[in-house]
Amino acid sequence: MGKQRIGKRKKGQREREAMEIVTVHRLKKYFGKGEAQVKALDGIDLSIEKGRFTAIIGASGSGKTTLLNMIGGLDTPDEGEVIVDGVNLSGLKERELAVFRRGKVGFVYQNFNLVPTLTVKENILFPLSLAGSTPDQRFFADVVQELLLEDRLNAYPHQLSGGGQQRVAIARALIARPAILLADEPTGNLDVKSGQNVLGLLKMSVETYHQTLIMITHNLEIAQMADRVLRMEDGRLKA
């Protein structure tokens, strides 16, 4: 009986680990020293399930963006570890982190971050160009159709509306089929209607492509559309 119970516990642990695409242990990141020290992350423990939409809310300076940057391999912690899709980011060198970001993470920013001298098609394929990868033409066609970009592939970013530019940014984030999508206030620079459309497209990416989406937002209405809502305050997660 004892061996059977141990076997069941190990099996259950493996199943939970298979469901968790992001695991964060005792994560700390401090800025400054003494009385001026800011505890951006003050001992965060977190696990996020694969294929879910998680929203992170909190006031400015609460640590949301710092946490997102840690998960995306854009910053390194003072203590603790981050594991994304089986990759432990602790100790990875900058070149290894760059490879991780290209292969595992899709980023969607508030300011779009498109290359103004590249066409829509070139912007979408840009991550693959950096990696020297050949695009999957069928997947590319599927993504641009879903994001209503078929007729704008030869246009330049300045020829698109804000909502159009954000659709291009989403397509660019999806094209390498990353393990996770990280979105930092993706509707912050859009009007209400465009913001709702972009949010709908991000949710579609979760449902259609089985993506894991982690989004920072100040908008409580947007947060309520997520599968899970996390609140940060003074570098800590609050219940």
Side-chain angles (χ1 to χ4, degrees), residues 189-221:
N189 283 338
L190 304 176
D191 58 57
V192 173
K193 183 177 180 180
S194 296
Q196 290 173 341
N197 290 340
V198 164
L199 179 62
L201 291 169
L202 285 168
K203 283 181 64 67
M204 177 275 296
S205 74
V206 174
E207 296 161 1
T208 302
Y209 302 117
H210 310 292
Q211 284 288 342
T212 302
L213 171 63
I214 306 172
M215 179 191 294
I216 288 175
T217 181
H218 285 95
N219 190 318
L220 293 180
E221 291 183 8

PDB file of all heavy atoms in Angstrom, residues 189-221:
ATOM      1  N   ASN A 189      -3.005  52.311 -25.289  1.00  0.00           N
ATOM      2  CA  ASN A 189      -2.967  53.432 -26.231  1.00  0.00           C
ATOM      3  C   ASN A 189      -4.102  53.390 -27.249  1.00  0.00           C
ATOM      4  O   ASN A 189      -4.051  54.086 -28.266  1.00  0.00           O
ATOM      5  CB  ASN A 189      -1.630  53.440 -26.987  1.00  0.00           C
ATOM      6  CG  ASN A 189      -0.506  53.998 -26.121  1.00  0.00           C
ATOM      7  OD1 ASN A 189      -0.750  54.732 -25.172  1.00  0.00           O
ATOM      8  ND2 ASN A 189       0.719  53.643 -26.449  1.00  0.00           N
ATOM      9  N   LEU A 190      -5.126  52.585 -26.979  1.00  0.00           N
ATOM     10  CA  LEU A 190      -6.210  52.418 -27.941  1.00  0.00           C
ATOM     11  C   LEU A 190      -7.518  52.988 -27.400  1.00  0.00           C
ATOM     12  O   LEU A 190      -7.725  53.073 -26.195  1.00  0.00           O
ATOM     13  CB  LEU A 190      -6.406  50.925 -28.255  1.00  0.00           C
ATOM     14  CG  LEU A 190      -5.170  50.175 -28.776  1.00  0.00           C
ATOM     15  CD1 LEU A 190      -5.506  48.702 -28.953  1.00  0.00           C
ATOM     16  CD2 LEU A 190      -4.675  50.778 -30.083  1.00  0.00           C
ATOM     17  N   ASP A 191      -8.404  53.369 -28.326  1.00  0.00           N
ATOM     18  CA  ASP A 191      -9.736  53.783 -27.899  1.00  0.00           C
ATOM     19  C   ASP A 191     -10.508  52.543 -27.432  1.00  0.00           C
ATOM     20  O   ASP A 191     -10.055  51.408 -27.593  1.00  0.00           O
ATOM     21  CB  ASP A 191     -10.477  54.494 -29.031  1.00  0.00           C
ATOM     22  CG  ASP A 191     -10.625  53.632 -30.276  1.00  0.00           C
ATOM     23  OD1 ASP A 191     -11.188  52.523 -30.181  1.00  0.00           O
ATOM     24  OD2 ASP A 191     -10.169  54.049 -31.368  1.00  0.00           O
ATOM     25  N   VAL A 192     -11.663  52.765 -26.849  1.00  0.00           N
ATOM     26  CA  VAL A 192     -12.411  51.675 -26.221  1.00  0.00           C
ATOM     27  C   VAL A 192     -12.743  50.564 -27.210  1.00  0.00           C
ATOM     28  O   VAL A 192     -12.513  49.376 -26.938  1.00  0.00           O
ATOM     29  CB  VAL A 192     -13.714  52.209 -25.574  1.00  0.00           C
ATOM     30  CG1 VAL A 192     -14.562  51.047 -25.067  1.00  0.00           C
ATOM     31  CG2 VAL A 192     -13.386  53.164 -24.441  1.00  0.00           C
ATOM     32  N   LYS A 193     -13.246  50.923 -28.384  1.00  0.00           N
ATOM     33  CA  LYS A 193     -13.643  49.906 -29.361  1.00  0.00           C
ATOM     34  C   LYS A 193     -12.435  49.110 -29.845  1.00  0.00           C
ATOM     35  O   LYS A 193     -12.477  47.877 -29.910  1.00  0.00           O
ATOM     36  CB  LYS A 193     -14.347  50.560 -30.546  1.00  0.00           C
ATOM     37  CG  LYS A 193     -14.853  49.559 -31.576  1.00  0.00           C
ATOM     38  CD  LYS A 193     -15.609  50.232 -32.703  1.00  0.00           C
ATOM     39  CE  LYS A 193     -16.103  49.203 -33.717  1.00  0.00           C
ATOM     40  NZ  LYS A 193     -16.851  49.855 -34.842  1.00  0.00           N
ATOM     41  N   SER A 194     -11.352  49.808 -30.178  1.00  0.00           N
ATOM     42  CA  SER A 194     -10.147  49.120 -30.645  1.00  0.00           C
ATOM     43  C   SER A 194      -9.573  48.233 -29.544  1.00  0.00           C
ATOM     44  O   SER A 194      -9.106  47.121 -29.803  1.00  0.00           O
ATOM     45  CB  SER A 194      -9.087  50.138 -31.091  1.00  0.00           C
ATOM     46  OG  SER A 194      -9.531  50.879 -32.213  1.00  0.00           O
ATOM     47  N   GLY A 195      -9.621  48.727 -28.309  1.00  0.00           N
ATOM     48  CA  GLY A 195      -9.131  47.942 -27.185  1.00  0.00           C
ATOM     49  C   GLY A 195      -9.925  46.662 -27.005  1.00  0.00           C
ATOM     50  O   GLY A 195      -9.353  45.594 -26.748  1.00  0.00           O
ATOM     51  N   GLN A 196     -11.224  46.752 -27.130  1.00  0.00           N
ATOM     52  CA  GLN A 196     -12.065  45.567 -27.011  1.00  0.00           C
ATOM     53  C   GLN A 196     -11.753  44.568 -28.128  1.00  0.00           C
ATOM     54  O   GLN A 196     -11.710  43.350 -27.892  1.00  0.00           O
ATOM     55  CB  GLN A 196     -13.545  45.958 -27.048  1.00  0.00           C
ATOM     56  CG  GLN A 196     -14.008  46.695 -25.805  1.00  0.00           C
ATOM     57  CD  GLN A 196     -15.424  47.215 -25.929  1.00  0.00           C
ATOM     58  OE1 GLN A 196     -15.968  47.355 -27.034  1.00  0.00           O
ATOM     59  NE2 GLN A 196     -16.047  47.514 -24.798  1.00  0.00           N
ATOM     60  N   ASN A 197     -11.529  45.077 -29.348  1.00  0.00           N
ATOM     61  CA  ASN A 197     -11.195  44.197 -30.464  1.00  0.00           C
ATOM     62  C   ASN A 197      -9.869  43.477 -30.223  1.00  0.00           C
ATOM     63  O   ASN A 197      -9.748  42.274 -30.483  1.00  0.00           O
ATOM     64  CB  ASN A 197     -11.128  45.002 -31.766  1.00  0.00           C
ATOM     65  CG  ASN A 197     -12.490  45.473 -32.233  1.00  0.00           C
ATOM     66  OD1 ASN A 197     -13.517  44.920 -31.828  1.00  0.00           O
ATOM     67  ND2 ASN A 197     -12.514  46.496 -33.072  1.00  0.00           N
ATOM     68  N   VAL A 198      -8.870  44.234 -29.745  1.00  0.00           N
ATOM     69  CA  VAL A 198      -7.558  43.637 -29.491  1.00  0.00           C
ATOM     70  C   VAL A 198      -7.661  42.595 -28.385  1.00  0.00           C
ATOM     71  O   VAL A 198      -7.072  41.502 -28.485  1.00  0.00           O
ATOM     72  CB  VAL A 198      -6.541  44.734 -29.118  1.00  0.00           C
ATOM     73  CG1 VAL A 198      -5.293  44.136 -28.471  1.00  0.00           C
ATOM     74  CG2 VAL A 198      -6.159  45.530 -30.357  1.00  0.00           C
ATOM     75  N   LEU A 199      -8.403  42.890 -27.336  1.00  0.00           N
ATOM     76  CA  LEU A 199      -8.574  41.925 -26.256  1.00  0.00           C
ATOM     77  C   LEU A 199      -9.237  40.652 -26.777  1.00  0.00           C
ATOM     78  O   LEU A 199      -8.839  39.540 -26.426  1.00  0.00           O
ATOM     79  CB  LEU A 199      -9.408  42.528 -25.132  1.00  0.00           C
ATOM     80  CG  LEU A 199      -9.669  41.599 -23.944  1.00  0.00           C
ATOM     81  CD1 LEU A 199      -8.362  41.209 -23.275  1.00  0.00           C
ATOM     82  CD2 LEU A 199     -10.607  42.255 -22.943  1.00  0.00           C
ATOM     83  N   GLY A 200     -10.249  40.829 -27.630  1.00  0.00           N
ATOM     84  CA  GLY A 200     -10.915  39.676 -28.215  1.00  0.00           C
ATOM     85  C   GLY A 200      -9.957  38.818 -29.027  1.00  0.00           C
ATOM     86  O   GLY A 200     -10.011  37.584 -28.989  1.00  0.00           O
ATOM     87  N   LEU A 201      -9.031  39.472 -29.746  1.00  0.00           N
ATOM     88  CA  LEU A 201      -8.057  38.736 -30.548  1.00  0.00           C
ATOM     89  C   LEU A 201      -7.056  37.993 -29.667  1.00  0.00           C
ATOM     90  O   LEU A 201      -6.635  36.874 -29.987  1.00  0.00           O
ATOM     91  CB  LEU A 201      -7.329  39.697 -31.488  1.00  0.00           C
ATOM     92  CG  LEU A 201      -8.201  40.278 -32.618  1.00  0.00           C
ATOM     93  CD1 LEU A 201      -7.477  41.412 -33.312  1.00  0.00           C
ATOM     94  CD2 LEU A 201      -8.572  39.201 -33.621  1.00  0.00           C
ATOM     95  N   LEU A 202      -6.671  38.614 -28.558  1.00  0.00           N
ATOM     96  CA  LEU A 202      -5.764  37.935 -27.635  1.00  0.00           C
ATOM     97  C   LEU A 202      -6.436  36.717 -27.007  1.00  0.00           C
ATOM     98  O   LEU A 202      -5.826  35.648 -26.881  1.00  0.00           O
ATOM     99  CB  LEU A 202      -5.290  38.908 -26.547  1.00  0.00           C
ATOM    100  CG  LEU A 202      -4.251  39.934 -26.995  1.00  0.00           C
ATOM    101  CD1 LEU A 202      -4.072  41.011 -25.928  1.00  0.00           C
ATOM    102  CD2 LEU A 202      -2.910  39.263 -27.288  1.00  0.00           C
ATOM    103  N   LYS A 203      -7.692  36.860 -26.628  1.00  0.00           N
ATOM    104  CA  LYS A 203      -8.428  35.717 -26.079  1.00  0.00           C
ATOM    105  C   LYS A 203      -8.580  34.631 -27.143  1.00  0.00           C
ATOM    106  O   LYS A 203      -8.509  33.430 -26.837  1.00  0.00           O
ATOM    107  CB  LYS A 203      -9.807  36.159 -25.572  1.00  0.00           C
ATOM    108  CG  LYS A 203      -9.771  36.867 -24.236  1.00  0.00           C
ATOM    109  CD  LYS A 203     -11.149  37.268 -23.775  1.00  0.00           C
ATOM    110  CE  LYS A 203     -12.039  36.079 -23.507  1.00  0.00           C
ATOM    111  NZ  LYS A 203     -11.579  35.278 -22.347  1.00  0.00           N
ATOM    112  N   MET A 204      -8.779  35.048 -28.372  1.00  0.00           N
ATOM    113  CA  MET A 204      -8.867  34.087 -29.469  1.00  0.00           C
ATOM    114  C   MET A 204      -7.581  33.291 -29.601  1.00  0.00           C
ATOM    115  O   MET A 204      -7.596  32.082 -29.865  1.00  0.00           O
ATOM    116  CB  MET A 204      -9.177  34.817 -30.782  1.00  0.00           C
ATOM    117  CG  MET A 204      -9.220  33.944 -32.031  1.00  0.00           C
ATOM    118  SD  MET A 204      -7.587  33.657 -32.798  1.00  0.00           S
ATOM    119  CE  MET A 204      -7.133  35.324 -33.280  1.00  0.00           C
ATOM    120  N   SER A 205      -6.435  33.948 -29.407  1.00  0.00           N
ATOM    121  CA  SER A 205      -5.157  33.253 -29.520  1.00  0.00           C
ATOM    122  C   SER A 205      -5.024  32.175 -28.452  1.00  0.00           C
ATOM    123  O   SER A 205      -4.418  31.122 -28.687  1.00  0.00           O
ATOM    124  CB  SER A 205      -3.998  34.254 -29.416  1.00  0.00           C
ATOM    125  OG  SER A 205      -3.824  34.711 -28.094  1.00  0.00           O
ATOM    126  N   VAL A 206      -5.588  32.439 -27.263  1.00  0.00           N
ATOM    127  CA  VAL A 206      -5.571  31.441 -26.193  1.00  0.00           C
ATOM    128  C   VAL A 206      -6.415  30.237 -26.593  1.00  0.00           C
ATOM    129  O   VAL A 206      -5.999  29.083 -26.449  1.00  0.00           O
ATOM    130  CB  VAL A 206      -6.094  32.051 -24.872  1.00  0.00           C
ATOM    131  CG1 VAL A 206      -6.221  30.971 -23.791  1.00  0.00           C
ATOM    132  CG2 VAL A 206      -5.169  33.159 -24.399  1.00  0.00           C
ATOM    133  N   GLU A 207      -7.602  30.516 -27.138  1.00  0.00           N
ATOM    134  CA  GLU A 207      -8.544  29.444 -27.455  1.00  0.00           C
ATOM    135  C   GLU A 207      -8.172  28.700 -28.738  1.00  0.00           C
ATOM    136  O   GLU A 207      -8.234  27.469 -28.796  1.00  0.00           O
ATOM    137  CB  GLU A 207      -9.956  30.041 -27.576  1.00  0.00           C
ATOM    138  CG  GLU A 207     -10.458  30.633 -26.258  1.00  0.00           C
ATOM    139  CD  GLU A 207     -11.611  31.595 -26.450  1.00  0.00           C
ATOM    140  OE1 GLU A 207     -12.036  31.784 -27.614  1.00  0.00           O
ATOM    141  OE2 GLU A 207     -12.083  32.164 -25.451  1.00  0.00           O
ATOM    142  N   THR A 208      -7.755  29.444 -29.766  1.00  0.00           N
ATOM    143  CA  THR A 208      -7.484  28.822 -31.062  1.00  0.00           C
ATOM    144  C   THR A 208      -6.130  28.138 -31.098  1.00  0.00           C
ATOM    145  O   THR A 208      -5.996  27.027 -31.620  1.00  0.00           O
ATOM    146  CB  THR A 208      -7.552  29.880 -32.182  1.00  0.00           C
ATOM    147  OG1 THR A 208      -8.848  30.498 -32.159  1.00  0.00           O
ATOM    148  CG2 THR A 208      -7.332  29.237 -33.556  1.00  0.00           C
ATOM    149  N   TYR A 209      -5.118  28.807 -30.561  1.00  0.00           N
ATOM    150  CA  TYR A 209      -3.757  28.283 -30.643  1.00  0.00           C
ATOM    151  C   TYR A 209      -3.262  27.701 -29.315  1.00  0.00           C
ATOM    152  O   TYR A 209      -2.086  27.364 -29.194  1.00  0.00           O
ATOM    153  CB  TYR A 209      -2.804  29.394 -31.112  1.00  0.00           C
ATOM    154  CG  TYR A 209      -3.201  29.977 -32.440  1.00  0.00           C
ATOM    155  CD1 TYR A 209      -3.570  31.312 -32.558  1.00  0.00           C
ATOM    156  CD2 TYR A 209      -3.251  29.182 -33.576  1.00  0.00           C
ATOM    157  CE1 TYR A 209      -3.949  31.844 -33.783  1.00  0.00           C
ATOM    158  CE2 TYR A 209      -3.637  29.707 -34.802  1.00  0.00           C
ATOM    159  CZ  TYR A 209      -3.985  31.042 -34.892  1.00  0.00           C
ATOM    160  OH  TYR A 209      -4.373  31.564 -36.105  1.00  0.00           O
ATOM    161  N   HIS A 210      -4.180  27.585 -28.327  1.00  0.00           N
ATOM    162  CA  HIS A 210      -3.849  26.988 -27.030  1.00  0.00           C
ATOM    163  C   HIS A 210      -2.660  27.710 -26.380  1.00  0.00           C
ATOM    164  O   HIS A 210      -1.787  27.088 -25.789  1.00  0.00           O
ATOM    165  CB  HIS A 210      -3.563  25.496 -27.187  1.00  0.00           C
ATOM    166  CG  HIS A 210      -4.616  24.768 -27.964  1.00  0.00           C
ATOM    167  ND1 HIS A 210      -5.895  24.575 -27.477  1.00  0.00           N
ATOM    168  CD2 HIS A 210      -4.595  24.221 -29.210  1.00  0.00           C
ATOM    169  CE1 HIS A 210      -6.611  23.928 -28.385  1.00  0.00           C
ATOM    170  NE2 HIS A 210      -5.845  23.710 -29.435  1.00  0.00           N
ATOM    171  N   GLN A 211      -2.651  29.021 -26.526  1.00  0.00           N
ATOM    172  CA  GLN A 211      -1.590  29.836 -25.961  1.00  0.00           C
ATOM    173  C   GLN A 211      -1.820  30.074 -24.475  1.00  0.00           C
ATOM    174  O   GLN A 211      -2.946  29.997 -23.972  1.00  0.00           O
ATOM    175  CB  GLN A 211      -1.519  31.190 -26.663  1.00  0.00           C
ATOM    176  CG  GLN A 211      -0.894  31.157 -28.035  1.00  0.00           C
ATOM    177  CD  GLN A 211       0.602  30.934 -27.961  1.00  0.00           C
ATOM    178  OE1 GLN A 211       1.219  31.127 -26.926  1.00  0.00           O
ATOM    179  NE2 GLN A 211       1.185  30.520 -29.068  1.00  0.00           N
ATOM    180  N   THR A 212      -0.745  30.379 -23.779  1.00  0.00           N
ATOM    181  CA  THR A 212      -0.814  30.844 -22.404  1.00  0.00           C
ATOM    182  C   THR A 212      -0.575  32.349 -22.422  1.00  0.00           C
ATOM    183  O   THR A 212       0.457  32.805 -22.907  1.00  0.00           O
ATOM    184  CB  THR A 212       0.255  30.161 -21.533  1.00  0.00           C
ATOM    185  OG1 THR A 212       0.075  28.746 -21.596  1.00  0.00           O
ATOM    186  CG2 THR A 212       0.153  30.627 -20.087  1.00  0.00           C
ATOM    187  N   LEU A 213      -1.530  33.110 -21.943  1.00  0.00           N
ATOM    188  CA  LEU A 213      -1.453  34.571 -21.987  1.00  0.00           C
ATOM    189  C   LEU A 213      -1.361  35.134 -20.574  1.00  0.00           C
ATOM    190  O   LEU A 213      -2.182  34.818 -19.713  1.00  0.00           O
ATOM    191  CB  LEU A 213      -2.694  35.142 -22.690  1.00  0.00           C
ATOM    192  CG  LEU A 213      -2.890  36.662 -22.655  1.00  0.00           C
ATOM    193  CD1 LEU A 213      -1.754  37.379 -23.375  1.00  0.00           C
ATOM    194  CD2 LEU A 213      -4.243  37.039 -23.284  1.00  0.00           C
ATOM    195  N   ILE A 214      -0.332  35.950 -20.342  1.00  0.00           N
ATOM    196  CA  ILE A 214      -0.187  36.683 -19.083  1.00  0.00           C
ATOM    197  C   ILE A 214      -0.215  38.165 -19.415  1.00  0.00           C
ATOM    198  O   ILE A 214       0.634  38.657 -20.159  1.00  0.00           O
ATOM    199  CB  ILE A 214       1.130  36.321 -18.366  1.00  0.00           C
ATOM    200  CG1 ILE A 214       1.252  34.800 -18.187  1.00  0.00           C
ATOM    201  CG2 ILE A 214       1.208  37.023 -17.004  1.00  0.00           C
ATOM    202  CD1 ILE A 214       2.600  34.359 -17.658  1.00  0.00           C
ATOM    203  N   MET A 215      -1.191  38.864 -18.873  1.00  0.00           N
ATOM    204  CA  MET A 215      -1.397  40.267 -19.240  1.00  0.00           C
ATOM    205  C   MET A 215      -1.398  41.177 -18.029  1.00  0.00           C
ATOM    206  O   MET A 215      -2.051  40.900 -17.020  1.00  0.00           O
ATOM    207  CB  MET A 215      -2.736  40.428 -19.977  1.00  0.00           C
ATOM    208  CG  MET A 215      -3.055  41.871 -20.378  1.00  0.00           C
ATOM    209  SD  MET A 215      -4.756  42.073 -20.951  1.00  0.00           S
ATOM    210  CE  MET A 215      -4.722  41.098 -22.438  1.00  0.00           C
ATOM    211  N   ILE A 216      -0.657  42.279 -18.141  1.00  0.00           N
ATOM    212  CA  ILE A 216      -0.727  43.358 -17.162  1.00  0.00           C
ATOM    213  C   ILE A 216      -1.796  44.344 -17.617  1.00  0.00           C
ATOM    214  O   ILE A 216      -1.845  44.725 -18.787  1.00  0.00           O
ATOM    215  CB  ILE A 216       0.619  44.090 -17.062  1.00  0.00           C
ATOM    216  CG1 ILE A 216       1.655  43.217 -16.369  1.00  0.00           C
ATOM    217  CG2 ILE A 216       0.472  45.411 -16.291  1.00  0.00           C
ATOM    218  CD1 ILE A 216       3.029  43.841 -16.337  1.00  0.00           C
ATOM    219  N   THR A 217      -2.654  44.746 -16.697  1.00  0.00           N
ATOM    220  CA  THR A 217      -3.661  45.743 -17.052  1.00  0.00           C
ATOM    221  C   THR A 217      -4.091  46.523 -15.812  1.00  0.00           C
ATOM    222  O   THR A 217      -4.058  46.012 -14.693  1.00  0.00           O
ATOM    223  CB  THR A 217      -4.898  45.080 -17.697  1.00  0.00           C
ATOM    224  OG1 THR A 217      -5.853  46.081 -18.052  1.00  0.00           O
ATOM    225  CG2 THR A 217      -5.548  44.063 -16.760  1.00  0.00           C
ATOM    226  N   HIS A 218      -4.474  47.783 -16.036  1.00  0.00           N
ATOM    227  CA  HIS A 218      -5.083  48.586 -14.976  1.00  0.00           C
ATOM    228  C   HIS A 218      -6.606  48.538 -15.075  1.00  0.00           C
ATOM    229  O   HIS A 218      -7.309  49.031 -14.196  1.00  0.00           O
ATOM    230  CB  HIS A 218      -4.629  50.054 -15.086  1.00  0.00           C
ATOM    231  CG  HIS A 218      -3.227  50.289 -14.621  1.00  0.00           C
ATOM    232  ND1 HIS A 218      -2.144  50.300 -15.473  1.00  0.00           N
ATOM    233  CD2 HIS A 218      -2.727  50.515 -13.376  1.00  0.00           C
ATOM    234  CE1 HIS A 218      -1.044  50.533 -14.783  1.00  0.00           C
ATOM    235  NE2 HIS A 218      -1.364  50.668 -13.510  1.00  0.00           N
ATOM    236  N   ASN A 219      -7.103  47.954 -16.167  1.00  0.00           N
ATOM    237  CA  ASN A 219      -8.532  47.954 -16.460  1.00  0.00           C
ATOM    238  C   ASN A 219      -9.194  46.742 -15.806  1.00  0.00           C
ATOM    239  O   ASN A 219      -8.981  45.600 -16.220  1.00  0.00           O
ATOM    240  CB  ASN A 219      -8.730  47.924 -17.983  1.00  0.00           C
ATOM    241  CG  ASN A 219     -10.173  48.165 -18.376  1.00  0.00           C
ATOM    242  OD1 ASN A 219     -11.085  47.646 -17.755  1.00  0.00           O
ATOM    243  ND2 ASN A 219     -10.363  48.950 -19.432  1.00  0.00           N
ATOM    244  N   LEU A 220     -10.026  46.983 -14.811  1.00  0.00           N
ATOM    245  CA  LEU A 220     -10.659  45.880 -14.085  1.00  0.00           C
ATOM    246  C   LEU A 220     -11.648  45.122 -14.965  1.00  0.00           C
ATOM    247  O   LEU A 220     -11.839  43.914 -14.791  1.00  0.00           O
ATOM    248  CB  LEU A 220     -11.371  46.422 -12.843  1.00  0.00           C
ATOM    249  CG  LEU A 220     -10.457  46.991 -11.750  1.00  0.00           C
ATOM    250  CD1 LEU A 220     -11.286  47.499 -10.573  1.00  0.00           C
ATOM    251  CD2 LEU A 220      -9.464  45.947 -11.270  1.00  0.00           C
ATOM    252  N   GLU A 221     -12.277  45.818 -15.921  1.00  0.00           N
ATOM    253  CA  GLU A 221     -13.206  45.136 -16.818  1.00  0.00           C
ATOM    254  C   GLU A 221     -12.462  44.123 -17.682  1.00  0.00           C
ATOM    255  O   GLU A 221     -12.954  43.020 -17.933  1.00  0.00           O
ATOM    256  CB  GLU A 221     -13.941  46.155 -17.702  1.00  0.00           C
ATOM    257  CG  GLU A 221     -14.916  47.028 -16.941  1.00  0.00           C
ATOM    258  CD  GLU A 221     -15.670  47.964 -17.863  1.00  0.00           C
ATOM    259  OE1 GLU A 221     -15.541  47.819 -19.100  1.00  0.00           O
ATOM    260  OE2 GLU A 221     -16.388  48.834 -17.350  1.00  0.00           O
TER     261      GLU A 221
END
